[in-house]
Amino acid sequence: MWIYEKKLQYPVKVSTCNPMLAKYLIEQYGGADGELSAALRYLNQRYAIPDKVIGLLTDIGTEEFAHLEMIATMVYKLTKDAKPEQMEEAGLGDFYVNHDNALYYNNASGVPWTASYIQAKGDPIADLYEDIAAEEKARATYQWIIDMSDDPDLNDGLKFLREREIVHSQRFREAVEMLKEERDRQRIF
Amino acid sequence: MSHQVQLPKEFYPLMEELQVVDFVLVELTLYLDTHPNDTAAIQQFNDASYYRRQLVPKVEEYLGPLQQFGNSYSSYPWNWNQAPWPWQI
């Protein structure tokens, strides 16, 4: 089971109401390499992977939900005071008529989240390589969003998330090596 | 709909301290998942876990229960479902 904790993993601040930045950020909420994809990808892969890496997938998958909540908080704070005209100016007019100020799992272009963003091949190496790639793509996406943003408070939170992608990628690379070692041991004996 | 909620000023440094120790814990957790034989890291993990246990009640004094399902006590009236939620702080 999972237990919710009533706090953010890292403080989220935004300087001003800025629906344009929210529009970009939603990529990491409901986009292909976003936090929802990450959490669901890792937690779902656990059932067909060697015991040695189930803990890692569980813990990173769980942390991704904490990141999802941080992104949601950023989007919420960037848009909560936005008037419909501001949403429209930011290119969120079509989002607004569907969702008002609610959040929704779509990417920056408005395409809704789909399970086809994630894979489960049942082959441990293939699955872990996908996870490494996903972390690197998410890291790159955070960098592009930081490049587009002129909000220092928001960027502080985004830089934290960018660094977490690097750590996750590193841990997944180590998991690949652990599985290779195990495989080689079995061949020798 | 909701709004920003102001908590007593003593709350904010305590929450930050909890976020700091939790960062140590998540880093050590992921590290130990791939380095399970690192004694020093396990010692650090257990020290941080102990530190966290001392800190949580101080945060909950201001925020109310951090967790549910029996991991936190409730005062009267039931205060788990009271604002602020994390995005309202």
Side-chain angles (χ1 to χ4, degrees):
Chain A
M1 74 172 287
W2 268 265
I3 293 176
Y4 181 74
E5 187 155 273
K6 208 172 179 179
K7 78 181 217 304
L8 295 179
Q9 188 189 5
Y10 184 89
V12 166
K13 293 191 184 76
V14 310
S15 306
T16 51
C17 173
N18 190 335
M20 179 70 91
L21 277 178
K23 178 178 157 63
Y24 298 146
L25 257 180
I26 208 100
E27 183 70 30
Q28 292 297 67
Y29 195 64
D33 307 314
E35 302 292 353
L36 180 70
S37 297
L40 297 181
R41 177 187 298 113
Y42 306 148
L43 294 172
N44 180 62
Q45 286 175 355
R46 297 180 302 159
Y47 306 94
I49 208 144
D51 287 357
K52 273 194 167 219
V53 296
I54 294 176
L56 185 68
L57 284 170
T58 303
D59 296 335
I60 296 183
T62 301
E63 188 182 351
E64 304 296 3
F65 278 123
H67 296 173
L68 189 69
E69 190 179 38
M70 282 179 64
I71 297 290
T73 301
M74 290 171 179
V75 171
Y76 166 77
K77 289 189 174 184
L78 287 167
T79 56
K80 70 186 169 60
D81 300 320
K83 296 184 178 69
E85 307 85 77
Q86 288 173 284
M87 297 288 276
E88 193 180 12
E89 278 167 27
L92 285 171
D94 36 11
F95 185 93
Y96 179 83
V97 295
N98 197 359
H99 305 294
D100 193 341
N101 281 70
L103 272 70
Y104 193 68
Y105 293 113
N106 58 219
N107 72 7
S109 312
V111 180
W113 189 87
T114 162
S116 60
Y117 290 156
I118 67 174
Q119 309 291 320
K121 201 48 68 179
D123 177 295
I125 300 294
D127 281 348
L128 284 167
Y129 278 178
E130 188 206 341
D131 301 346
I132 295 165
E135 295 292 339
E136 297 299 338
K137 288 186 281 181
R139 173 189 55 75
T141 307
Y142 277 121
Q143 187 60 57
W144 310 151
I145 297 170
I146 290 166
D147 291 350
M148 298 287 275
S149 159
D150 57 358
D151 183 330
D153 289 326
L154 181 76
N155 285 354
D156 181 61
L158 291 175
K159 285 174 186 169
F160 172 84
L161 292 169
R162 181 190 62 190
E163 299 308 302
R164 298 309 296 155
E165 309 299 339
I166 295 169
V167 172
H168 291 176
S169 172
Q170 180 62 36
R171 297 282 98 89
F172 282 135
R173 287 161 200 258
E174 290 161 358
V176 168
E177 295 310 311
M178 287 163 69
L179 294 188
K180 283 183 183 168
E181 270 171 39
E182 197 171 60
R183 181 194 60 191
D184 294 345
R185 242 198 325 273
Q186 283 166 351
R187 267 189 203 151
I188 293 163
F189 298 108
Chain B
M1 286 304 284
S2 49
H3 41 272
Q4 299 304 105
V5 182
Q6 201 65 34
L7 285 157
K9 64 178 187 341
E10 293 83 359
F11 163 77
Y12 297 93
L14 285 169
M15 174 52 86
E16 197 175 310
E17 200 180 339
L18 182 60
Q19 286 166 325
V20 167
V21 67
D22 278 353
F23 180 74
V24 172
L25 283 163
V26 74
E27 270 291 85
L28 285 167
T29 300
L30 301 189
Y31 171 81
L32 283 164
D33 284 343
T34 55
H35 303 77
N37 301 315
D38 189 330
T39 319
I42 292 169
Q43 184 62 47
Q44 282 179 29
F45 178 86
N46 286 335
D47 288 347
S49 303
Y50 180 80
Y51 186 80
R52 184 184 207 280
R53 276 165 204 264
Q54 315 299 311
L55 182 60
V56 162
K58 298 179 197 165
V59 175
E60 291 185 326
E61 219 174 285
Y62 296 99
L63 185 73
L66 269 167
Q67 293 190 3
Q68 255 320 315
F69 301 97
N71 289 308
S72 301
Y73 295 106
S74 178
S75 45
Y76 182 87
W78 179 247
N79 56 350
W80 164 249
N81 58 0
Q82 282 174 14
W85 291 89
W87 54 94
Q88 298 166 342
I89 292 176

